[in-house]
Amino acid sequence: MSPSRLVVYSRRLSGLEEAMKMEREQRERSNTKFTRPLPLRRGRVSPRLPVPDDIPKPPYVSTKELPELASEHQFHDAEGIEKMRAACELAARVLQSAGELVKPSITTNEIDKAVHQMIIDAGAYPSPLGYGGFPKSVCTSVNECMCHGIPDSRQLQDGDIINIDVTVYLNGYHGDTSKTFLCGNVNDILKRLVKVTEECMEKGIAVCKDGASFKKIGKRISEHAEKYGFDVVERFVGHGVGKVFHSEPVILHHRNDKGGTMVEGQTFTIEPIFTIGSTDCITWPDNWTTLTADGGPAAQFEHTILITRTGAEILTKC
């Protein structure tokens, strides 16, 4: 066989092997039954924790109204970038410490207390506290909770997964990050969901740089997720972050035709949510806690990134 035919044959074989591998993985997923834990029930929510008067607070704290998404994109000069780095580094450290607390029997309220104390000890303000009336200093989203879970008296159970979403306000800048942690002995299906969700976030970040189109993020995330049979939750998006907690650009994590390109010095979050089952959702009467409609589990990861000339700097990487 000629060398050229060998190359063609090798490529065909490689493509066939890849197709067979994907078919095998899909078959394994469809043949694996997922046993859902007991549905989440609201525990007791304790009063909000105090913040020392000398710690600067974001302007929305003085009202219970949910702020509008700010229309301006957030760009930073050298001084602003350093302040963003400081806020994001603090958020990353707090998140890492919070994750070390995750174990069966701990309550999400205890996690909230620890996060609150770490943030105010650093002279910063916990951004979620008082945002649109949110009563706690961190979001804790367990199992089928997609996002915005309010910490309460529920104890974590062996086999749970929990997303902890930390945002700090330091020296006038917000740093925002989240991660889904495993609690005790988690089954392989949930481990795969968590792993692929993190990989999808990383794939989205990898396409970011000055001049890149925003729609590339959703395309790359969707391509990776589809290999494993997961669908992204389209309702929740990434956002600009900096002096303002939430601003343009809105970052879509699914395939889209949204216009616009990234600019050096810009900061925003990438934070996809994936589920096993339906991506439809319901929200509890507290107007925050959002669950999957069918009770299937959800996982989320989030980083704040800075656009550079050649790529993206992950500001919340610990």
Side-chain angles (χ1 to χ4, degrees):
M1 189 178 290
S2 69
S4 60
R5 289 185 177 180
L6 278 171
V7 170
V8 172
Y9 177 76
S10 175
R11 287 174 179 170
R12 286 177 178 172
L13 182 60
S14 175
L16 177 61
E17 289 174 342
E18 181 65 23
M20 291 174 65
K21 178 183 176 183
M22 291 177 65
E23 182 179 354
R24 185 168 60 252
E25 290 175 346
Q26 290 173 352
R27 187 167 58 250
E28 288 173 354
R29 287 195 294 273
S30 64
N31 290 338
T32 305
K33 294 181 178 179
F34 175 73
T35 303
R36 290 189 176 91
L38 292 175
L40 283 178
R41 294 287 183 265
R42 166 60 70 211
R44 183 180 61 83
V45 179
S46 59
R48 61 185 288 173
L49 297 170
V51 177
D53 291 338
D54 62 335
I55 290 180
K57 302 168 181 63
Y60 54 75
V61 173
S62 61
T63 175
K64 289 187 177 181
E65 296 296 319
L66 187 66
E68 295 284 339
L69 181 78
S71 60
E72 70 272 14
H73 292 223
Q74 300 191 62
F75 305 98
H76 310 282
D77 58 16
E79 181 182 358
I81 289 173
E82 287 309 307
K83 289 184 176 181
M84 277 297 295
R85 286 197 180 109
C88 289
E89 287 170 4
L90 174 60
R93 290 199 307 271
V94 171
L95 179 61
Q96 182 180 46
S97 296
E100 293 170 358
L101 299 175
V102 172
K103 63 180 180 181
S105 80
I106 195 170
T107 68
T108 50
N109 194 55
E110 289 174 303
I111 294 174
D112 177 73
K113 285 183 178 179
V115 166
H116 181 88
Q117 195 62 48
M118 283 186 280
I119 293 173
I120 64 172
D121 283 349
Y125 184 89
S127 302
L129 187 63
Y131 182 83
F134 193 83
K136 291 292 185 175
S137 299
V138 68
C139 295
T140 52
S141 302
V142 179
N143 295 338
E144 70 264 35
C145 184
M146 289 181 175
C147 58
H148 304 155
I150 297 175
D152 61 21
S153 61
R154 180 191 182 275
Q155 292 182 320
L156 292 183
Q157 307 297 309
D158 187 57
D160 282 348
I161 59 174
I162 175 174
N163 176 272
I164 301 176
D165 191 340
V166 172
T167 312
V168 307
Y169 182 69
L170 178 67
N171 296 325
Y173 289 77
H174 297 273
D176 192 3
T177 185
S178 85
K179 181 176 180 177
T180 298
F181 297 93
L182 309 178
C183 181
N185 299 301
V186 175
N187 69 51
D188 289 341
I189 300 176
L190 288 181
K191 286 180 180 177
R192 185 189 300 124
L193 171 66
V194 171
K195 179 175 182 292
V196 171
T197 303
E198 184 172 22
E199 289 173 350
C200 283
M201 175 192 65
E202 292 168 348
K203 296 286 185 183
I205 293 172
V207 303
C208 295
K209 65 177 181 178
D210 181 53
S213 61
F214 288 111
K215 64 184 179 183
K216 283 186 176 181
I217 297 172
K219 181 176 184 293
R220 184 62 62 86
I221 287 173
S222 296
E223 287 173 345
H224 189 67
E226 287 162 4
K227 295 178 183 178
Y228 299 90
F230 294 131
D231 292 319
V232 67
V233 176
E234 296 185 9
R235 176 176 172 180
F236 296 102
V237 298
H239 54 87
V241 65
K243 288 184 177 180
V244 179
F245 194 170
H246 297 106
S247 77
E248 290 284 355
V250 168
I251 305 299
L252 303 179
H253 303 115
H254 59 280
R255 281 190 175 86
N256 65 90
D257 292 321
K258 182 178 175 64
T261 57
M262 306 168 205
V263 177
E264 184 177 0
Q266 182 176 35
T267 49
F268 55 83
T269 70
I270 295 179
E271 47 185 300
I273 302 174
F274 287 91
T275 65
I276 294 177
S278 174
T279 58
D280 293 334
C281 58
I282 58 173
T283 302
W284 280 355
D286 61 28
N287 292 323
W288 286 105
T289 309
T290 302
L291 313 180
T292 57
D294 64 355
Q300 182 181 30
F301 282 80
E302 175 186 15
H303 273 314
T304 295
I305 65 171
L306 166 70
I307 298 302
T308 68
R309 183 174 57 83
T310 58
E313 178 183 343
I314 302 175
L315 299 179
T316 45
K317 191 171 184 177
C318 199

